[in-house]
Amino acid sequence: MHRRLHSAWLLALVLVGCKHVPTEQERRGAELRYEIGLQAQAAGNVQEAYKEMEKSLALDPEYPEAHHAMAILLHLAFNRPEEAIRHYKLALEYRPNFSEAKTNLANVYLSQARYDEAIKLYESSLNDMLYPTPFIAQGNLGWALYKKGETERALQNIKASVTTNPGFCMGYKNLGVIYEEMGNVSDACRYFGRYREACPDVADAYLREGACQVKQGKMEEARQSFTVCEAKAKSQVLKDDCHRFLEAL
């Protein structure tokens, strides 16, 4: 019996010892494939980006940045949240202080209404003094708090995010949405106006500000907003929405 246990223990050691450690050449290859994948992603070729990230991870299965990039593709491009979660967790396993991965994993949880898990991760990212884009975590933390029903804390966090980054479009948009849902038309219109000022090429900003202006009885301003919205809209659905609002006036 003892001999069998001893043999099993030795076998386990051998199996652990046989784990492949990437060579320096393989690591460089993984980095190269990762960079090529990022370029493909930036160009909008998500299938090619996915293939390159697969090749990168085949060369170095413990490359946290490649797991992170793969997770972003799975979540946002392919709508496969559970697979994205697995890759985010692997990225964090191999690089525990990877705040971008924490924030993006929290974004998946937020989309799944897993608010407590999302909030915990956003708060962890905000404790990282080296995190380069804390306004994203703080703005999304605010939205998670709002969806959970903690409106005052939500507003505090989102306002802090646009103070940190005055060009943070999503922050202004979410502030407008919250005040609109609270029935505070004046503040809603003010923040939708800030949304449009910060993001002058985003058609949605003009659509939301225009709809708010209608509620305020500012029909001429609303007409101008919907006209610009229709001109700037990149999707046919949004263009049709802008046109419909314009015709309704």
Side-chain angles (χ1 to χ4, degrees):
M1 179 69 176
H2 288 298
R3 188 176 298 153
R4 262 180 287 173
L5 285 172
H6 181 68
S7 298
W9 181 73
L10 283 175
L11 178 60
L13 280 179
V14 169
L15 289 173
V16 170
C18 287
K19 178 183 174 183
H20 176 67
V21 176
T23 65
E24 188 59 34
Q25 185 178 1
E26 286 172 328
R27 284 201 175 93
R28 285 200 300 269
E31 290 172 7
L32 177 61
R33 290 297 182 184
Y34 168 72
E35 293 296 337
I36 293 172
L38 289 184
Q39 291 171 17
Q41 187 176 0
N45 190 341
V46 293
Q47 285 82 10
E48 190 63 28
Y50 182 85
K51 288 178 187 176
E52 292 299 332
M53 293 308 168
E54 275 192 320
K55 292 175 184 176
S56 176
L57 289 170
L59 289 165
D60 184 356
E62 297 185 1
Y63 189 8
E65 285 76 10
H67 280 293
H68 180 237
M70 179 71 90
I72 291 172
L73 287 166
L74 287 164
H75 179 208
L76 300 179
F78 298 108
N79 192 29
R80 300 176 82 158
E82 293 307 321
E83 291 177 53
I85 288 170
R86 183 172 66 83
H87 280 282
Y88 281 131
K89 286 183 174 180
L90 285 168
L92 289 167
E93 179 182 334
Y94 302 129
R95 186 178 152 193
N97 295 322
F98 197 168
S99 292
E100 291 89 342
K102 287 181 186 178
T103 295
N104 287 326
L105 174 55
N107 292 344
V108 183
Y109 289 150
L110 178 58
S111 71
Q112 296 178 326
R114 295 163 66 175
Y115 302 126
D116 288 329
E117 290 166 275
I119 288 166
K120 184 178 178 181
L121 285 167
Y122 289 136
E123 289 175 336
S124 178
S125 293
L126 288 170
N127 285 329
D128 178 4
M129 299 297 287
L130 300 178
Y131 180 35
T133 54
F135 63 91
I136 295 175
Q138 189 145 38
N140 290 357
L141 168 62
W143 188 249
L145 288 165
Y146 176 64
K147 299 302 285 185
K148 194 183 171 188
E150 299 184 35
T151 303
E152 284 308 311
R153 282 185 65 202
L155 290 170
Q156 288 169 9
N157 277 280
I158 302 175
K159 286 177 181 178
S161 75
V162 295
T163 299
T164 302
N165 180 6
F168 184 33
C169 303
M170 186 60 71
Y172 295 121
K173 175 182 175 178
N174 285 343
L175 285 169
V177 169
I178 292 172
Y179 279 116
E180 187 174 51
E181 291 181 356
M182 290 170 63
N184 187 335
V185 176
S186 177
D187 280 337
C189 290
R190 181 161 63 90
Y191 280 110
F192 285 140
R194 296 287 298 277
Y195 176 28
R196 186 252 312 150
E197 289 168 6
C199 316
D201 293 324
V202 177
D204 178 68
Y206 295 90
L207 178 63
R208 290 180 183 275
E209 185 177 27
C212 207
Q213 288 164 334
V214 169
K215 292 179 183 178
Q216 290 182 312
K218 299 178 179 179
M219 298 306 176
E220 189 52 44
E221 289 93 330
R223 189 184 309 278
Q224 292 173 8
S225 295
F226 295 139
T227 300
V228 177
C229 173
E230 186 175 10
K232 289 183 178 286
K234 294 179 180 177
S235 75
Q236 191 58 47
V237 173
L238 185 54
K239 191 178 286 289
D240 290 344
D241 285 343
C242 301
H243 185 74
R244 188 171 64 254
F245 273 98
L246 190 57
E247 283 193 326
L249 292 177

